[in-house]
């Protein structure tokens, strides 16, 4: 399973945008970039995923570098509820391949 | 529709005793995962099922841990005998198939005393 690297922690102010980086220099051509987050005392929840193009959904945006060796999860207006650990994970496309492997993630703190 | 359901939510047992956790995945989901999560760490994969087949159990400590997924639906994870170091949160997740969005249960917090 290809590896990802994320900062251990980040801080943000409420209602400001947050950019959470992820490096994945060994990504293969068939790997999707997935983001999950884990709120305190809860199981992880899916946030977003993408392959090459930038992606948007109601929770966040995912910006993927042209060479796909890095990506950035963007929370457009952080709220206190966004305080969580964010995980960047690579998963091969399709079939029954690949495991959802979590690293240490980035702990995001949001200040009021 | 109900999400992934796990029970019990909390369990306290004495060391050397057996313990079992149960997971009911989302209906129609073929892939089922069991994870272990220690405090301050990310979830660690124990086993992944595709329907009733365990396709990856390489991280499951088979001397004391076992799992089954009868008929490719519900799953049970068992520890026998439990050790103090097994104290952790055990998470179950399911997805339509591997590589698609996974949904997690609330987890079972195990304390071994």
């Amino acid at each position: 399973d290809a590896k990802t690297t994320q900062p251990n922690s980040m801080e943000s102010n409420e209602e400001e945008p947050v950019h959470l980086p992820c490096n994945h220099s060994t990504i293969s051509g068939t790997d999707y970039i997935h983001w999950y987050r884990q709120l305190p005392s809860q199981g992880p929840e899916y946030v977003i995923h993408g392959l090459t193009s930038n992606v948007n959904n109601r929770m966040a945006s995912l910006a993927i570098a042209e060479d796909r060796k890095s990506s950035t999860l963007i929370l457009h207006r952080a709220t206190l509820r966004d305080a969580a650990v964010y995980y960047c994970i690579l998963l091969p496309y399709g079939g029954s391949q690949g495991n959802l492997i979590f690293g240490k993630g980035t702990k995001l703190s949001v200040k009021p | 529709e109900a999400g992934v359901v796990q029970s019990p939510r909390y369990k306290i047992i004495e060391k050397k005793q057996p313990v079992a956790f149960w997971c009911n995945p989302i209906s129609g989901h073929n892939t089922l995962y069991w994870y272990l999560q220690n405090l301050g760490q990310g979830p660690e994969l124990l086993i992944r099922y595709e329907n009733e087949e365990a396709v990856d159990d390489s991280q499951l400590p088979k001397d004391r841990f076992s799992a089954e997924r009868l008929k490719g639906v519900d799953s049970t994870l068992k520890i026998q005998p439990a050790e103090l170091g097994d104290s952790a949160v055990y998470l179950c997740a399911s997805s339509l198939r591997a590589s698609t969005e996974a949904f997690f249960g609330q987890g079972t917090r195990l304390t071994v005393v």
Side-chain angles (χ1 to χ4, degrees):
Chain A
D1 297 306
K3 190 173 179 178
T4 62
T5 305
Q6 300 177 252
N8 289 334
S9 62
M10 291 184 65
E11 275 192 355
S12 172
N13 294 316
E14 197 175 12
E15 299 190 4
E16 289 186 356
V18 182
H19 291 231
L20 296 162
C22 181
N23 287 318
H24 28 78
S25 58
T26 59
I27 190 170
S28 75
T30 57
D31 283 340
Y32 273 80
I33 303 158
H34 288 244
W35 283 82
Y36 282 76
R37 73 178 186 181
Q38 188 170 22
L39 302 172
S41 301
Q42 295 191 24
E45 65 174 342
Y46 167 84
V47 177
I48 199 167
H49 77 280
L51 184 62
T52 56
S53 304
N54 294 343
V55 185
N56 301 295
N57 66 21
R58 64 175 180 81
M59 290 181 70
S61 295
L62 176 59
I64 301 171
E66 195 169 338
D67 63 5
R68 302 210 325 125
K69 293 185 176 181
S70 65
S71 60
T72 303
L73 180 71
I74 303 167
L75 307 179
H76 296 284
R77 288 179 72 244
T79 69
L80 297 179
R81 284 200 70 251
D82 292 321
V85 178
Y86 288 78
Y87 298 97
C88 171
I89 301 168
L90 302 182
L91 270 179
Y93 169 78
S96 61
Q97 305 170 48
N99 290 318
L100 193 60
I101 302 295
F102 290 80
K104 294 184 177 179
T106 297
K107 183 173 183 178
L108 176 67
S109 302
V110 181
K111 296 182 290 185
Chain B
E1 180 184 356
V4 176
V5 179
Q6 290 188 247
S7 68
R9 285 295 311 277
Y10 305 93
K11 188 76 176 177
I12 301 175
I13 61 170
E14 293 183 345
K15 62 182 180 182
K16 300 185 182 180
Q17 294 301 306
V19 65
F21 315 121
W22 176 78
C23 173
N24 181 220
I26 292 174
S27 177
H29 280 195
N30 296 320
T31 303
L32 185 145
Y33 304 89
W34 280 103
Y35 290 87
L36 173 159
Q37 187 170 27
N38 289 304
L39 192 63
Q41 304 294 315
E44 300 170 30
L45 181 67
L46 291 172
I47 190 168
R48 174 169 67 100
Y49 282 94
E50 294 294 332
N51 299 302
E52 66 275 7
E53 181 184 359
V55 296
D56 189 340
D57 62 358
S58 58
Q59 301 304 310
L60 189 72
K62 298 181 186 65
D63 57 336
R64 297 184 299 108
F65 286 64
S66 64
E68 60 182 10
R69 189 183 184 195
L70 299 176
K71 300 181 181 178
V73 183
D74 294 3
S75 180
T76 304
L77 179 69
K78 297 178 181 177
I79 309 175
Q80 181 170 13
E83 298 179 351
L84 295 177
D86 296 331
S87 295
V89 174
Y90 291 82
L91 293 162
C92 178
S94 72
S95 62
L96 276 174
R97 59 184 185 279
S99 80
T100 61
E101 177 184 354
F103 296 82
F104 283 78
Q106 294 278 63
T108 295
R109 182 176 295 278
L110 174 68
T111 302
V112 182
V113 297

